[in-house]
Amino acid sequence: MSFWEALAVFVAGIGAGTINTIVGSGTLITFPVLLAVGLPPITANVSNTLGLVPGSLSGAIGYRRELSGQRRRILRFGATAFIGGLTGAVLLLALPSEAFDAIVPALIAVALVLVVVQPKLSAALRARRARTGTTGHRDGGIALLAGLLCASAYGGYFGAAQGVLYLSLMGLLLNEDLQRINALKNVLAVVVNGVAALFFLFVADFDWPAVVLIAVGSALGGQIGAKVGRRLPPTVLRGVIVAVGLAAIAQLLLK
């Protein structure tokens, strides 16, 4: 890479780390830049996955205050994310990229709808439980685990808008503050990116300069994202999620 190409990758890493911590979809920033500097798609994908691990970890550390009291969820959801992320990484090398092209935009669109209507849906669920005298599972039950498994498999495969999927699922099925859910999302991103990157280390070729540039940039961006995201009120945060999700759909449809 030339100096200017390296600078572009580094800046993309900062942007990806920032947006991943707040919402997700940082891959939509780094992946096109890696392709533009000449990396083959698979090499760009696996290099991007490894490079974003420090950013995910940085964002999770930045949100550590919101993780207080969620140890049980971290262990339960983290194990699910580990299995899903490893499955997605295997699928990346086994399946053609076209396998996900048709379903992913529709999947993100559904997730965005859930993010928008989540407060009303959650209120309706609480009202129904009050009428019937039942209580929901404190950790979302089997339905949430199944959804997180599928979202994590997608994350290990490619990962664009993975955070939007996590936020929509947990926002609907957990009776929890959106910022605390966002903190959980960052931990799951660490697990998925980490296990996928570990798998790729043994079976795929990396562009190590790109990995280092994205790693340093995304770690810096993770801290920026934690400071910015924590200050956003729930309504504004939902707006950011929707805007990023719509951008992800547009890029996936037009690529």
Side-chain angles (χ1 to χ4, degrees), residues 72-73 76 129 135-142 173-175:
R72 172 188 167 93
R73 286 175 179 165
R76 185 182 178 97
R129 288 167 185 159
T135 57
H137 196 290
R138 60 171 293 191
D139 292 332
I142 297 298
L173 296 173
L174 292 178
N175 184 22

Side-chain angles (χ1 to χ4, degrees), residues 66-103:
E66 286 76 9
L67 292 172
S68 177
Q70 300 201 79
R71 181 174 180 275
R72 172 188 167 93
R73 286 175 179 165
I74 291 172
L75 295 175
R76 185 182 178 97
F77 297 169
T80 302
F82 182 94
I83 296 170
L86 181 58
T87 301
V90 172
L91 290 176
L92 175 65
L93 301 182
L95 297 177
S97 61
E98 293 78 8
F100 277 65
D101 285 351
I103 188 63

Side-chain angles (χ1 to χ4, degrees), residues 31-42:
F31 187 68
V33 172
L34 293 177
L35 294 180
V37 301
L39 270 63
I42 296 295

Side-chain angles (χ1 to χ4, degrees), residues 122-211:
S122 296
L125 284 174
R126 287 194 297 270
R128 181 176 181 274
R129 288 167 185 159
R131 289 195 304 271
T132 59
T134 59
T135 57
H137 196 290
R138 60 171 293 191
D139 292 332
I142 297 298
L144 181 54
L145 288 180
L148 294 178
L149 181 67
C150 293
S152 300
Y154 166 64
Y157 184 90
F158 183 53
Q162 173 192 1
V164 175
L165 300 179
Y166 281 149
L167 289 170
S168 66
L169 289 166
M170 290 189 288
L172 179 62
L173 296 173
L174 292 178
N175 184 22
E176 192 62 87
D177 177 77
L178 188 57
Q179 292 289 1
R180 283 171 61 82
I181 289 173
N182 201 26
L184 275 175
K185 177 265 294 178
N186 289 330
V187 172
L188 298 185
V190 173
V191 174
V192 170
N193 283 343
V195 67
L198 184 62
F199 173 76
F200 293 145
L201 279 173
F202 294 98
V203 298
D205 294 323
F206 291 86
D207 186 287
W208 288 105
V211 170

Side-chain angles (χ1 to χ4, degrees), residues 239-252:
V240 173
I241 294 169
V242 171
V244 172
L246 291 175
I249 292 172
Q251 184 164 340
L252 290 167

